[in-house]
Amino acid sequence: MTQLLQPSSVPVSSALLEGLNPRQREAVLYRGPALLIVAGAGSGKTSVLTRRIASLLETREAWPSQILAITFTNKAAGEMRERVRHLVGHAADGMWISTFHSACVRILRREAEVFGYASGFTIYDSGDSRPLLKRIIKQHEADVMGFSVANVAAKISKLKNELVDAETFSRQVNLADPKEAMFLTMFREYSRTLQAANAFDFDDLIAQTVYLFRAFPHVAEPYRRRFRHILVDEYQDTNHAQYALIRELTKPAPAIEPASLTVVGDSDQSIYAFRGADIRNIIEFEQDYRDATVVLLEQNYRSTQTILDAANAVIANNFDRKPKNLFTAGGPGAKIVGFTGYSGHDEAQFVADEIEQLHREGTEYREIAVFYRTNAQTRALEEILIRSAVPYRILGGTKFYERAEIKDAMAYLIAVANPADALAVRRILNSPKRGIGSVTETQLANFAERNGMTFRAALRHAGEQGFGPKIAKAITGLSDLLDEATALTAPPEEGMAPVPVFDVLALLMNRSGYVDALRASKDPQDEARLENIEELLAVTKEFQRNNPDGLLIDFLTETALVAAADELDDTSGTVSLMTLHTAKGLEFKAVFLTGIEEDLLPHRMSANEPGGPAEERRLFYVGITRARERLYLSLAMTRNSYGETSVSAPSRFLAEVPAELIEWKQSPGMAGPGGGSRVAGSLAWGGSSSGAAGGGAAQQKPKTEWTNRVTGKVRDNGDLELAVGDRVKHDDFGEGRVQGITGTAAKRIAEVQFDSAGRKRLLVKVAPIVKL
DNA sequence: CTATCACCACTTTTT
DNA sequence: GTGGTGATAG
């Protein structure tokens, strides 16, 4: 224990401790084998973590290279690095600050050869494994046994997160059960295919690193020796594989004591059980690491007391937790605003109107966020936000990298970087269309198998397989192009910069005929696809700017590991839309929590899962605690699920927020004599659709006030001429007078004072209006 | 081999 | 409403 020092014996400069409360200081200064920082929402844990790292560097207790810090997203990692750099300058360089996944990729790329992989392995996301699983299921006709891509993928993922691979599984499986046996067969085949393709899926990145360390101690040893201080953020959301990885890294190496481990977390914010996160990792930390010290951070520096009161009251309903109460030295702040829409569109209109109100009062768009439980809820929100000319951006959802044309382009790059990846080669085989269909593809696969070569190699032997001259030429053409691109990416000579990824991609896209095919197409969507390809080319340019020595494989790694929250651009003047899960770790001045309904939050699917409702409550809690000043809770009485409209009931969680904290602009009709107590168990809506809960001044609104429901029709008013003073009629808002016109062309915005619906901003091009 | 159309199952959350 | 799938025709 010689170099593990107790707090007082290290002279840490006062600058590092400035502005910290006593608990936070303790968390920065404590020195010992294991430290658990229980950090409530908004308690300044990032600040504590960065100063802890900075203090280790400042006092020379550690070199940068001896520090490994694990964050939940790459964005959080970048921010942490920036903040440490701000505190100690370039002493910060050389630290490993990254996500679990990025750290494992880094290790695996270095050590892959040790266990039969090549350093250029591909990383498969769920979208990449899907076609593979589909093929496997079809091949075994396992769908009739009730197997689907989704449930097989989920089960495999779950097992891998428990560090159970196919072989381990075969030992514990009941082979008498045909379903189990079938699953084992498929699991084996999936694993074999990945291995043959020199590929890891997301779960493999962690699990295989653990396997590597366990099976090859001499590989693990340098890492155990190197990392003297390991810090893990969001520890409540680690799964077993991640837990095991940390255990491996903190094992003593010969003649050296175990690394010091700091974990930060909050079991009230554990929301990833579905992904294998095990809340016990944090709860049992003190048993796991003897001599562990615990520091509790409860003072909140983010939110108003009103918001914290709501959060505390809600989370108190989870019974098996350690009591924790967030408090602030700040004031109570504004009341929470509640709203009940007639429909999802109506709710969205409320959100848009309130955002405009906030914006007029001086809140910047980027300080505002809208959260929801499911991605499907974005549709109504988007429609209304566009129409109301509110600038917004969606984090996550249908991601850029999941679009078909981007997947195609990436598959070209992967085919070059990892020729063993048959899936990537198959994907590009006939895109653009080369007249190569499934028959030809199968024939190539068989040829490869018969001759013990890769699928990629089989392309080079197209002439020997009896294809027609046209098909053979198409295959050879593709093969030659890939070879040419491969030559470009050969390791550069000493002192030379590598060929930019941009050049490689441009070559592939142009010579393959991919862009030509899009250009020649009559499908109007192909124009957008072309733009997406151009955007990807711009991404490669940007990558080269940031990483002058970046290789193709680095680009592929970076793009494979982008998370939803990584996309957040702080400088953009737009409202952020995201799921509650993506919102974790972020904060905004004003937050809208939408769709607070039964079957949505808590989600219907969570009802049967053990611990499901409690986790949903934590999700609600996470959402509430993201808000600094203003919090809005909204719901809708009816919602369109898919084509169908169904009636929804207010979430049970709404009744857990003390009524006096909420001011309802439109209540769920639970008011009137009897108060709000009916919400909890009621399945249907109370009789009246108006009135206010919580004994506030009831603004009686006649039923006809539900007029701001909006239809989903798309229209184009592009050529509509409007001037100040014109009278217009809006499908939903009725008649009004134009007060002002701003913007040009497709972005022309009219400010209209409606006779009964209030003042609205409308995007002229799409708003359902006519000039009178 | 490709294009077209009818039909279906589907939506929890994600590194 | 959508996106993927399978049958059919060209």
Side-chain angles (χ1 to χ4, degrees):
Chain A
M1 294 283 150
T2 46
Q3 84 258 51
L4 295 172
L5 301 162
Q6 287 306 303
S8 54
S9 54
V10 192
V12 170
S13 73
S14 56
L16 275 187
L17 301 175
E18 204 184 306
L20 296 186
N21 69 35
R23 303 277 90 195
Q24 291 176 321
R25 280 173 191 230
E26 196 186 339
V28 170
L29 294 176
Y30 176 78
R31 298 291 184 270
L35 171 64
L36 164 63
I37 303 172
V38 176
S43 60
K45 63 159 190 187
T46 308
S47 195
V48 165
L49 219 40
T50 51
R51 289 176 200 225
R52 183 169 169 79
I53 294 170
S55 77
L56 289 167
L57 296 174
E58 185 189 61
T59 58
R60 306 273 167 137
E61 287 165 88
W63 295 109
S65 62
Q66 294 177 326
I67 289 174
L68 169 65
I70 301 286
T71 59
F72 202 68
T73 64
N74 291 303
K75 179 167 182 284
E79 273 172 12
M80 185 171 292
R81 181 181 299 282
E82 219 27 68
R83 287 174 71 165
V84 174
R85 187 173 288 154
H86 186 74
L87 293 168
V88 298
H90 285 281
D93 299 350
M95 291 184 299
W96 278 35
I97 303 185
S98 67
T99 62
F100 270 107
H101 295 268
S102 304
C104 287
V105 170
R106 206 161 158 183
I107 293 167
L108 288 171
R109 290 231 189 272
R110 283 187 191 183
E111 319 288 351
E113 276 83 10
V114 177
F115 68 137
Y117 287 87
S119 163
F121 59 79
T122 311
I123 301 164
Y124 281 5
D125 65 21
S126 44
D128 298 318
S129 331
R130 203 177 305 141
L132 169 58
L133 284 172
K134 196 184 286 171
R135 214 170 59 219
I136 293 174
I137 291 171
K138 200 169 173 182
Q139 201 178 331
H140 294 92
E141 294 176 334
D143 46 344
V144 295
M145 293 170 88
F147 286 109
S148 68
V149 172
N151 65 33
V152 173
K155 192 160 178 197
I156 289 177
S157 170
K158 202 169 174 186
L159 287 168
K160 286 188 177 180
N161 285 329
E162 291 293 323
L163 295 177
V164 178
D165 64 10
E167 285 325 296
T168 315
F169 183 70
S170 72
R171 270 176 259 127
Q172 64 188 52
V173 74
N174 171 18
L175 287 172
D177 181 340
K179 253 193 107 170
E180 294 246 296
M182 173 59 80
F183 174 76
L184 173 63
T185 307
M186 294 192 293
F187 189 10
R188 276 205 171 117
E189 194 162 331
Y190 174 78
S191 305
R192 254 207 318 273
T193 311
L194 250 62
Q195 190 163 14
N198 191 31
F200 295 111
D201 66 22
F202 269 37
D203 302 311
D204 281 336
L205 295 177
I206 317 285
Q208 296 279 19
T209 306
V210 172
Y211 165 77
L212 176 72
F213 281 174
R214 288 186 177 168
F216 304 93
H218 69 279
V219 174
E221 200 202 301
Y223 294 96
R224 289 183 183 138
R225 208 174 268 284
R226 169 182 178 154
F227 297 125
R228 305 282 67 218
H229 296 270
I230 298 177
L231 303 95
V232 185
D233 196 5
E234 308 284 9
Y235 194 67
Q236 77 281 353
D237 281 323
T238 50
N239 60 36
H240 179 71
Q242 293 166 333
Y243 168 85
L245 181 71
I246 294 300
R247 278 249 103 146
E248 289 303 316
L249 282 171
T250 52
K251 260 193 191 155
I256 194 156
E257 63 183 302
S260 154
L261 174 64
T262 302
V263 304
V264 188
D266 176 3
S267 37
D268 288 338
Q269 292 184 63
S270 164
I271 54 174
Y272 281 101
F274 73 90
R275 201 169 82 187
D278 192 342
I279 201 164
R280 281 176 312 180
N281 288 347
I282 193 163
I283 289 173
E284 293 169 8
F285 183 79
E286 291 162 76
Q287 284 104 284
D288 278 340
Y289 291 86
R290 289 162 286 101
D291 306 323
T293 294
V294 181
V295 175
L296 189 65
L297 305 179
E298 284 180 301
Q299 181 164 3
N300 177 291
Y301 296 93
R302 180 185 294 155
S303 309
T304 66
Q305 190 62 50
T306 299
I307 290 165
L308 295 182
D309 285 345
N312 284 329
V314 166
I315 202 67
N317 291 284
N318 273 0
F319 51 92
D320 55 348
R321 62 187 276 280
K322 284 185 193 166
K324 176 154 46 75
N325 234 10
L326 299 176
F327 66 96
T328 175
K335 281 204 173 186
I336 296 166
V337 175
F339 181 85
T340 311
Y342 172 78
S343 64
H345 278 111
D346 193 30
E347 178 193 30
Q349 186 65 55
F350 161 77
V351 171
D353 289 347
E354 291 293 329
I355 289 173
E356 277 314 304
Q357 175 75 24
L358 287 167
H359 187 63
R360 274 197 298 277
E361 291 165 2
T363 304
E364 289 187 59
Y365 285 125
R366 67 184 160 88
E367 286 279 21
I368 303 172
V370 183
F371 302 156
Y372 36 81
R373 178 65 177 81
T374 68
N375 285 307
Q377 289 165 255
T378 51
R379 226 160 257 166
L381 285 164
E382 266 193 283
E383 235 165 66
I384 302 300
L385 291 179
I386 288 173
R387 216 181 264 183
S388 308
V390 174
Y392 70 93
R393 163 192 169 114
I394 293 178
L395 303 196
T398 28
K399 285 172 223 128
F400 181 65
Y401 290 98
E402 282 169 14
R403 304 198 180 160
E405 62 276 17
I406 299 303
K407 282 263 171 208
D408 287 344
M410 297 297 285
Y412 269 95
L413 291 176
I414 291 168
V416 169
N418 179 13
D421 191 336
L423 260 64
V425 180
R426 280 169 184 252
R427 178 170 186 113
I428 61 174
L429 196 57
N430 198 34
S431 27
K433 302 240 176 334
R434 300 185 172 89
I436 306 173
S438 64
V439 178
T440 309
E441 186 185 328
T442 311
Q443 209 172 322
L444 282 163
N446 290 340
F447 182 85
E449 179 129 7
R450 269 203 314 279
N451 295 282
M453 61 173 71
T454 63
F455 191 82
R456 169 77 187 84
L459 300 193
R460 292 201 189 88
H461 297 86
E464 308 155 26
Q465 298 174 53
F467 296 127
K470 221 176 138 197
I471 288 179
K473 194 166 167 250
I475 297 173
T476 310
L478 173 64
S479 180
D480 290 348
L481 174 61
L482 291 175
D483 283 340
E484 195 177 327
T486 306
L488 269 188
T489 60
E493 284 179 41
E494 196 65 34
M496 300 286 287
V499 173
V501 179
F502 175 86
D503 295 10
V504 180
L505 183 59
L507 172 83
L508 289 166
M509 290 292 94
N510 290 324
R511 293 270 301 282
S512 67
Y514 199 94
V515 290
D516 291 338
L518 288 179
R519 259 192 220 115
S521 162
K522 288 187 292 284
D523 185 340
Q525 288 207 326
D526 282 339
E527 205 175 316
R529 296 198 177 101
L530 201 54
E531 281 171 26
N532 286 331
I533 295 290
E534 268 154 27
E535 196 177 332
L536 182 67
L537 282 162
V539 172
T540 62
K541 267 246 160 74
E542 176 75 19
F543 172 80
Q544 220 69 43
R545 215 179 354 264
N546 298 334
N547 315 274
D549 298 323
L551 301 173
L552 173 56
I553 199 70
D554 301 318
F555 175 73
L556 293 174
T557 300
E558 191 174 296
T559 49
L561 296 177
V562 286
D566 295 343
E567 301 163 22
L568 193 74
D569 176 3
D570 292 339
T571 59
S572 72
T574 60
V575 174
S576 299
L577 272 60
M578 69 193 85
T579 64
L580 284 163
H581 283 89
T582 303
K584 190 175 75 156
L586 305 176
E587 62 172 70
F588 297 87
K589 191 167 166 188
V591 164
F592 291 83
L593 287 181
T594 66
I596 312 300
E597 297 148 34
E598 279 298 299
D599 292 346
L600 210 46
L601 186 73
H603 197 276
R604 179 194 300 262
M605 291 289 138
S606 73
N608 323 321
E609 294 165 12
E615 176 146 320
E616 298 284 308
R617 186 176 281 110
R618 290 195 290 271
L619 207 42
F620 187 46
Y621 174 80
V622 165
I624 292 172
T625 53
R626 300 307 95 198
R628 286 206 295 271
E629 297 177 16
R630 307 295 304 268
L631 178 64
Y632 299 80
L633 301 177
S634 66
L635 58 156
M637 289 168 63
T638 63
R639 203 166 277 282
N640 294 352
S641 22
Y642 37 99
E644 233 75 320
T645 304
S646 54
V647 175
S648 45
S651 167
R652 68 192 77 170
F653 300 150
L654 266 186
E656 296 173 2
V657 178
E660 67 274 14
L661 300 179
I662 308 181
E663 187 181 307
W664 286 96
K665 292 217 167 171
Q666 212 153 239
S667 87
M670 61 200 181
S677 61
R678 276 198 290 154
V679 195
S682 88
L683 289 172
W685 293 82
S688 153
S689 64
S690 59
Q699 314 161 258
Q700 285 303 331
K701 290 194 176 181
K703 188 105 192 182
T704 50
E705 266 287 21
W706 295 113
T707 44
N708 49 346
R709 106 194 88 163
V710 183
T711 53
K713 279 181 303 231
V714 183
R715 42 191 300 151
D716 189 350
N717 296 332
D719 45 0
L720 182 67
E721 293 283 347
L722 281 181
V724 173
D726 282 349
R727 295 282 297 172
V728 293
K729 186 173 188 333
H730 187 285
D731 280 3
D732 306 308
F733 306 143
E735 293 188 21
R737 187 171 297 282
V738 177
Q739 304 285 311
I741 300 279
T742 51
T744 53
K747 289 184 175 163
R748 218 145 35 99
I749 294 160
E751 183 128 8
V752 181
Q753 179 66 47
F754 286 99
D755 299 342
S756 54
R759 201 182 172 91
K760 309 273 183 196
R761 273 158 55 91
L762 304 170
L763 197 60
V764 175
K765 191 173 162 58
V766 294
I769 48 175
V770 289
K771 199 157 114 179
L772 293 178

